[in-house]
Amino acid sequence: MAVLALGPFLLVEAAQAIAGFGAKVTWGFAMWGYLGAFGVIWLAPTIDRSSVRRFFAVSIGLFAAVFVGTAILENVVQPYRGNPDGIHFPGAAVADRIEAKWREETGGVPLRSVVGDLWLGGNVATYAADRPSVFLDADPGLSPSVDAAELRRRGAVVIWNGRPDARVSPLRAYLARFPDMKIQPQVVVPRRTWVPSPPAYLEWAIVPPGAG
């Protein structure tokens, strides 16, 4: 039981020490499934009325500590280190801003398609009022249901990561597929954090309706 309860954690720690990679918070959720059973076997508690009360008191305390600790980690520590998580991404604000500019540029034409990666394209598709479909990475193999001719007829928004430290830009690939797209000013939107953190930098373009 000790191997099941502590083995995954020790294995990851050993691999991290040897290989030098950083562990991720999300890995931890699956590591402690047997910890409760291990504690019961190891401690061999006597179960009576007072022990049950202590159990509930400790359980509530641990739950509160985990809740508060997670809130501080996600909303203070991670953003302060300049590494905010996806929960801080201002998806609704980004979609509102881009959709408003799309309508302004196209004379109120509904936004039917957004071209981008899973995260950025998905956020716009989720929060935009017109609920556009996503042409994932402008790759027909990833979005076989997207009709390229129909997309050009209706127009689309193209969005990609505009962070200064972005390693690879898909701009060249997007221009090859949509040579008529009109690049728009960079969108910079504050993230939803409790402490100052780097904003979301986004580059985007409009494929005008009827282009191509």
Side-chain angles (χ1 to χ4, degrees), residues 56-70:
F56 279 108
V58 171
S59 297
I60 292 172
L62 287 174
F63 178 83
V66 170
F67 180 84
V68 173
T70 301

Side-chain angles (χ1 to χ4, degrees), residues 85-142:
D85 288 334
I87 61 173
H88 306 117
F89 186 77
V94 169
D96 288 347
R97 189 173 300 187
I98 287 179
E99 190 172 33
K101 185 63 175 178
W102 159 270
R103 289 184 179 276
E104 178 184 327
E105 292 292 322
T106 62
V109 173
L111 177 59
R112 298 303 185 191
S113 298
V114 56
V115 182
D117 62 21
L118 185 62
W119 179 254
L120 297 178
N123 266 270
V124 174
T126 299
Y127 292 108
D130 290 331
R131 293 294 188 268
S133 60
V134 180
F135 188 18
L136 191 58
D137 294 333
D139 185 346
L142 298 176

